Amino acid sequence: GSFSHTPFPTLFGFDISGPDRVPLAGFPATAPSGANGNNVTVDNSPGSDGFIYHANAPFVETARISSYFPTGVERPGFPIGVNQVASDFAVGPDGNLWVIHSGKNRLDEYSPSGALIRFVNLAELGFSYSLTIDQTNGDLYVGNEQGTHRFVAANKYALSPNVIPTGSWSRVMYL
């Protein structure tokens, strides 16, 4: 299925496999206060359970990330209180959640249970605002005003020297 929601504060789930959009059982799910419609992702990694992740008000210093089962029930261990600006997030091929914490100039990696695993320093890039992950190799792509930057998973997430210039704010799209 596919997921979308109203600007505040309910998540809805729909089965879009047929010609009609059928609401999924268990939805709507209550989203955190301050929710908006641009901050939902689904874990589609191999072997995943289809967990749904949602960020409330990502550009404020009290950002939280919640997670739900595909039934709309909130998962234990969530929400993650990131307590800083969380400008974007994505799920990697291993099912781990990556979050850009622009307020701290870093990328944090969380396990599917919500435990912090590691972080990647983004200080040399300055404010970074978008993220996507190559599902074939786990490389991270971070967009900001200088362009799109690649962090190579096979090299312990070292920053690649090659930058894809854009000339303005770079919004990294899905690979």
Side-chain angles (χ1 to χ4, degrees):
S2 177
F3 299 91
S4 64
H5 68 281
T6 59
F8 180 84
T10 304
L11 294 175
F12 294 93
F14 297 94
D15 179 350
I16 61 169
S17 61
D20 297 321
R21 304 298 189 246
V22 179
L24 295 172
F27 283 88
T30 302
S33 175
N36 70 44
N38 299 323
N39 303 301
V40 176
T41 193
V42 177
D43 179 358
N44 291 315
S45 62
S48 80
D49 292 320
F51 297 139
I52 304 160
Y53 294 97
H54 178 269
N56 76 316
F59 288 103
V60 298
E61 294 181 6
T62 57
R64 296 181 317 146
I65 297 178
S66 295
S67 181
Y68 303 88
F69 291 105
T71 60
V73 174
E74 190 165 27
R75 295 178 50 230
F78 288 87
I80 299 170
V82 295
N83 298 321
Q84 64 245 340
V85 177
S87 59
D88 204 1
F89 59 97
V91 177
D94 55 3
N96 289 343
L97 177 69
W98 287 86
V99 180
I100 292 180
H101 295 301
S102 296
K104 290 190 174 183
N105 287 322
R106 70 184 213 187
L107 261 169
D108 285 354
E109 180 183 18
Y110 296 92
S111 71
S113 66
L116 180 64
I117 296 171
R118 78 175 105 208
F119 71 90
V120 175
N121 191 337
L122 299 177
E124 67 183 276
L125 301 183
F127 184 84
S128 299
Y129 107 177
S130 66
L131 170 69
T132 197
I133 301 172
D134 186 330
Q135 296 297 311
T136 64
N137 60 21
D139 288 356
L140 308 173
Y141 290 85
V142 175
N144 69 4
E145 63 188 359
Q146 291 117 19
T148 300
H149 308 269
R150 178 178 168 216
F151 292 83
V152 182
N155 196 13
K156 298 181 181 178
Y157 298 102
L159 179 61
S160 169
N162 302 323
V163 175
I164 302 166
T166 60
S168 63
W169 283 97
S170 174
R171 175 74 184 153
V172 180
M173 302 309 286
Y174 300 104
L175 296 173

